[in-house]
Amino acid sequence: MDDHRPSGPADWPADLCAWAGGLALAITIAPAPPSLFAVGTAIILAAALHTVIGWPVHLYRRRYGRGTLPELRTLALTVAATGTLLWALAEVTTAVAVVGAMTALLAMVTGRAAGRLRRERRLRVAPATGPAVPVLVFGAGAAGHRLLRSMAHDPHCRYRPVGIVDDDPAKRNLRIEGVAVLGGRASLIAAIERTGAQVVIFAIRAGDGALLRDVRAMTTAAGRVLKVLPSINESLDGPVGVAEVRDVRLSDLLGRRQIDTDLAAIGDYLTGRRVLVTGAGGSIGSELCRQLHRFGPAELMMLDRDESALHAVQLSIHGRALLDSPELILADLRDAASIAAVFAERRPEVVFHAAALKHLTLLERHPAEAVQTNVLGTLNVLSAAASVGVARFVNISTDKAANPVSVLGYSKRVTERLTAHRSTVAAGTYLNVRFGNVLGSRGSVVTAFQAQIAAGGPVTVTDPDVTRFMMTVQEAVQLVIQAAALGAGGEALVLDMGSPVRIDELAHQLAAQAERPVDFVYTGLRPGEKLHEELFGDGETDLRPLHPLISHVSVPPLDPALALALDVRSAPGALVGQLADLCLVPHVSGAVAEVPGAVTGVPTLSAARTS
């Protein structure tokens, strides 16, 4: 509900009356009162000046909420300017101008404050004794303030706040909307018992996962329900209110980070540009499209070979999906002629290349598919982009490309090197963005765990000690867009993924939310899997010159002729060896640095390698 009804033209007559009253009072108490004509002239001049100054700064054009600090600041500046000009232009003394202006300002502020208090008193809900659920709010910061205000002023609110818990000692005994802070985290269970709260709402939108897990454990131990407000990354410009309160998700338990985004830099390369996203129907591609749409590109082109995925992403952006607009492009990266024709016709200026085959275990069995889509498909997109003079090309890579030991890792490392090579021969900026697992993406481990738990188990985990980097899709895409604004040609920008997550712990957190216990089975690592993933390869240094969450590493270029020489008809083992060989980087001396885990004893392309 809107607590700040905007000020508008209706306030203008009252403000002019305030000037008349203020000047009349100032002149009455002046030692030598001026003539009635001078008094009338001063009042008319003050009204005219206030109007001329107030309208251009939108004081009466519904820009400011009634009684808000921005409105009061603008009002004070307008009155001060009016008083100064009145002193300079009218036959009034300094004392009359100052006293008149101060009295007028006091009357204006008092009127606005009284109006706002009356409005808030009408909206305020009396303590409910009916069906409203008593809740404790954890967090007395800005989000907590707005949530409590939303509850207090919503006559139909399903929650009734009965207390606040916050770890900040400075907030002890503070009251917000009449609700008291009852203590810190250690007092949570006691506060629940004291107030009879049935629900605890976690109202810290950028809180860390450890804090939320701790609050959740105490709330569950007390037999109560925990709800949360969405994170800042989840709802970039969204409101904070009762309607946004929801159940806890795994992404909340893993942690929330606020991304420091340079909107000006992003707008410079996206706003008003023609932007194309490959793999637009995938987890990363669809979220890219949703966030890119907010920056107002001249045209957002969404390319995918999956028509149902294109339907879903268009529906998520526009709320409808008729599939009849040119923004959707149905095409396959493997078809070089088709991709070239799309680029020639649509001439994108910025390209985000998110299309790829990504399932590690499946690609171990079908390396030719990884080569045709991930390697040769990327080469097709790079060639088409260069042919039309794309200004900025962003290749989405993975942590599997750092010291690769799998077909997926090899193929993505090759695409990083091909992108780096294109930056040496094309006019635009060609760069890579590398990050780890995206939480809840299609076919991810989280999705598999949830399906297994829903089926009653067992939950299969490869190894109790295996760890992976995890990031929400919203957070990952925000950083991808930011990184694309910062990166130089030939670089790989590595996103800070936070601390690695133990997959076994993640599985147990999901299982804890199930209605009945489930069993766990440990299957062992599969071919191509690492116990612990890496974000940086051997010889790569973590340097963050421009953004605290984005590292810059150089990538050695790879001649596309070597990628084109890959023989997809080779035996799988031989093809994997060729892929691994393309990931090797020659030293200055001419020796070759081997990639850990590379296949040996199979035909390679070493003899033909150039860099």
Side-chain angles (χ1 to χ4, degrees):
M1 183 170 292
D2 184 10
D3 306 329
H4 304 304
R5 183 173 63 85
S7 56
D11 297 295
W12 175 66
D15 289 350
L16 299 190
C17 290
W19 266 112
L23 286 174
L25 175 64
I27 291 169
T28 300
I29 64 175
S35 65
L36 290 177
F37 177 77
V39 173
T41 302
I43 291 175
I44 294 172
L45 183 59
L49 290 172
H50 186 89
T51 303
V52 170
I53 296 170
W55 280 90
V57 296
H58 300 271
L59 188 56
Y60 304 107
R61 296 163 69 180
R62 304 187 183 280
R63 169 173 288 187
Y64 308 105
R66 180 183 296 278
T68 60
L69 185 60
E71 185 201 28
L72 296 180
R73 183 168 53 242
T74 305
L75 187 64
L77 291 174
T78 301
V79 170
T82 301
T84 301
L85 290 173
L86 182 66
W87 169 79
L89 300 175
E91 296 180 3
V92 296
T93 64
T94 302
V96 168
V98 171
V99 173
M102 292 180 63
T103 305
L105 179 60
L106 179 62
M108 296 174 196
V109 171
T110 301
R112 283 165 168 78
R116 179 169 173 177
L117 286 173
R118 284 196 303 271
R119 178 175 172 79
E120 290 185 353
R121 191 171 291 111
R122 288 197 305 270
L123 293 175
R124 189 175 298 278
V125 181
T129 57
V133 178
V135 301
L136 275 178
V137 175
F138 190 95
H145 271 72
R146 289 193 287 271
L147 176 62
L148 286 159
R149 189 174 189 80
S150 174
M151 291 178 181
H153 296 165
D154 184 355
H156 306 293
C157 181
R158 65 184 185 275
Y159 297 124
R160 172 170 55 93
V162 294
I164 308 168
V165 176
D166 195 288
D167 282 338
D168 186 353
K171 295 177 180 175
R172 297 292 188 271
N173 302 318
L174 176 70
R175 298 185 77 87
I176 303 173
E177 298 294 330
V179 184
V181 175
L182 304 177
R185 191 186 332 177
S187 307
L188 178 59
I189 294 179
I192 289 174
E193 294 174 350
R194 172 181 165 187
T195 61
Q198 297 300 308
V199 174
V200 176
I201 300 178
F202 189 83
I204 304 177
R205 301 183 81 192
D208 64 273
L211 173 61
L212 181 56
R213 290 194 296 271
D214 195 11
V215 172
R216 178 172 176 265
M218 288 188 286
T219 303
T220 303
R224 302 300 194 268
V225 176
L226 181 66
K227 302 280 187 178
V228 298
L229 282 176
S231 68
I232 294 174
N233 296 327
E234 184 180 337
S235 54
L236 292 177
D237 302 311
V240 176
V242 177
E244 285 66 53
V245 173
R246 58 165 174 75
D247 292 332
V248 180
R249 298 174 184 167
L250 183 61
S251 57
D252 303 318
L253 297 173
L254 291 178
R256 304 161 162 208
R257 290 189 296 177
Q258 182 175 355
I259 305 302
D260 182 15
T261 303
D262 185 349
L263 296 177
I266 292 173
D268 283 345
Y269 84 93
L270 288 178
T271 303
R273 300 291 188 92
R274 296 185 301 279
V275 181
L276 184 145
V277 179
T278 71
S283 303
I284 293 294
S286 60
E287 181 62 23
L288 259 172
C289 292
R290 285 187 287 272
Q291 293 198 27
L292 291 171
H293 179 71
R294 298 188 181 121
F295 289 98
E299 185 179 9
L300 177 59
M301 295 163 271
M302 298 176 281
L303 185 150
D304 204 294
R305 66 177 182 179
D306 185 338
E307 58 183 353
S308 297
L310 287 176
H311 178 274
V313 68
Q314 188 181 50
L315 183 64
S316 70
I317 292 174
H318 302 297
R320 60 179 183 82
L322 301 179
L323 302 180
D324 59 352
S325 64
E327 67 181 355
L328 300 183
I329 302 172
L330 190 63
D332 192 331
L333 302 185
R334 297 186 182 191
D335 187 341
S338 174
I339 294 299
V342 167
F343 275 68
E345 178 185 354
R346 308 298 291 275
R347 307 194 73 82
E349 298 170 273
V350 180
V351 174
F352 289 88
H353 177 45
L357 297 178
K358 65 175 186 178
H359 288 285
L360 184 149
T361 306
L362 198 58
L363 294 183
E364 288 296 308
R365 296 178 56 84
H366 302 281
E369 299 301 312
V371 170
Q372 292 180 87
T373 295
N374 294 0
V375 177
L376 302 181
T378 296
L379 200 52
N380 291 338
V381 179
L382 284 167
S383 299
S387 69
V388 298
V390 163
R392 189 164 292 262
F393 185 101
V394 184
N395 174 49
I396 306 298
S397 189
T398 169
D399 56 357
K400 309 295 188 294
N403 293 332
V405 297
S406 63
V407 170
L408 174 59
Y410 295 144
S411 67
K412 296 302 286 184
R413 178 57 176 172
V414 169
T415 66
E416 288 186 355
R417 297 192 62 192
L418 290 172
T419 303
H421 174 273
R422 189 63 59 174
S423 72
T424 66
V425 297
T429 300
Y430 289 74
L431 57 94
N432 304 280
V433 178
R434 184 194 301 171
F435 52 92
N437 293 21
V438 171
L439 194 63
S441 61
R442 275 195 313 189
S444 73
V445 66
V446 173
T447 305
F449 287 160
Q450 290 171 331
Q452 291 173 335
I453 292 169
V459 175
T460 56
V461 181
T462 54
D463 189 287
D465 296 321
V466 71
T467 63
R468 292 292 181 264
F469 292 102
M470 289 284 182
M471 180 181 282
T472 67
V473 65
Q474 292 86 5
E475 182 183 2
V477 168
Q478 277 183 265
L479 281 174
V480 166
I481 295 174
Q482 178 69 80
L486 302 176
E491 287 186 321
L493 284 84
V494 184
L495 307 187
D496 185 332
M497 300 290 297
S499 302
V501 175
R502 288 185 64 244
I503 298 301
D504 189 41
E505 179 181 346
L506 183 150
H508 278 84
Q509 288 176 357
L510 285 171
Q513 302 178 40
E515 296 180 356
R516 58 183 184 275
V518 294
D519 295 327
F520 283 76
V521 175
Y522 297 93
T523 60
L525 292 175
R526 294 167 294 186
E529 289 188 323
K530 297 179 182 179
L531 189 63
H532 306 294
E533 291 290 0
E534 306 161 271
L535 288 171
F536 299 93
D538 292 341
E540 294 181 341
T541 305
D542 183 357
L543 298 175
R544 310 184 184 197
L546 301 176
H547 194 285
L549 299 180
I550 301 174
S551 304
H552 297 241
V553 300
S554 60
V555 177
L558 176 70
D559 190 332
L562 296 174
L564 291 171
L566 289 167
D567 186 0
V568 295
R569 295 167 298 181
S570 302
L575 184 56
V576 172
Q578 295 173 38
L579 263 179
D581 192 49
L582 292 183
C583 296
L584 307 180
V585 182
H587 295 307
V588 175
S589 62
V592 173
E594 292 198 7
V595 176
V599 177
T600 57
V602 294
T604 69
L605 300 176
S606 298
R609 184 187 297 105
T610 64
S611 62

